[in-house]
């Protein structure tokens, strides 16, 4: 598989502007030693061969990059992304 799909939407967003800004601020201001970020949408669906990746951040590359930028900004301690909902049956 490759990381592109005809259904990809560079401008699409899962969170919207208000929630994205809230998340960026919350993770930046977190004093936790580990920041566990959990969501039901696959962040890296193409790392699993034959994954049924209909609902995935990968279809919205700009939004996914914003997620990466938020968790990798200076001061964020040990960000850990946990995502799922892969159907293999």
């Amino acid at each position: 598989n490759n990381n592109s799909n005809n259904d990809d939407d560079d401008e699409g967003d899962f969170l919207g502007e208000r929630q994205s800004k809230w998340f960026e601020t919350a993770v930046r201001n977190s004093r936790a030693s580990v920041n566990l970020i959990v969501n039901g949408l696959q962040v890296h669906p193409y790392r699993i061969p034959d994954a049924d990746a209909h609902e995935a951040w990968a279809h919205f590359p700009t939004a996914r990059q914003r997620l990466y930028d938020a968790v990798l900004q200076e001061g964020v301690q040990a960000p850990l992304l946990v995502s799922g909902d892969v159907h293999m049956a």
Side-chain angles (χ1 to χ4, degrees), residues 75-87:
V76 176
Q77 297 295 310
L80 180 60
L81 288 171
V82 178
S83 64
D85 196 26
V86 176
H87 300 264

Side-chain angles (χ1 to χ4, degrees), residues 19-80:
Q19 266 190 298
S20 292
K21 284 185 177 185
W22 172 87
F23 176 73
E24 292 162 357
T25 300
V27 74
R28 180 179 54 246
N29 293 335
S30 171
R31 293 183 285 150
S33 57
V34 175
N35 286 278
L36 183 62
I37 298 105
V38 180
N39 75 90
L41 299 171
Q42 302 155 34
V43 178
H44 303 290
Y46 302 110
R47 297 186 62 99
I48 300 171
D50 301 321
D52 187 11
H54 295 288
E55 297 175 344
W57 285 89
H59 296 303
F60 302 90
T62 301
R64 184 172 63 172
Q65 186 61 51
R66 188 171 182 175
L67 173 69
Y68 292 155
D69 292 345
V71 300
L72 296 175
Q73 63 187 307
E74 187 174 342
V76 176
Q77 297 295 310
L80 180 60

Side-chain angles (χ1 to χ4, degrees), residues 2-9 46 53-54 58-59:
N2 63 31
N3 286 345
S4 66
N5 183 311
N6 290 337
D7 296 329
D8 291 356
D9 180 354
Y46 302 110
H54 295 288
H59 296 303

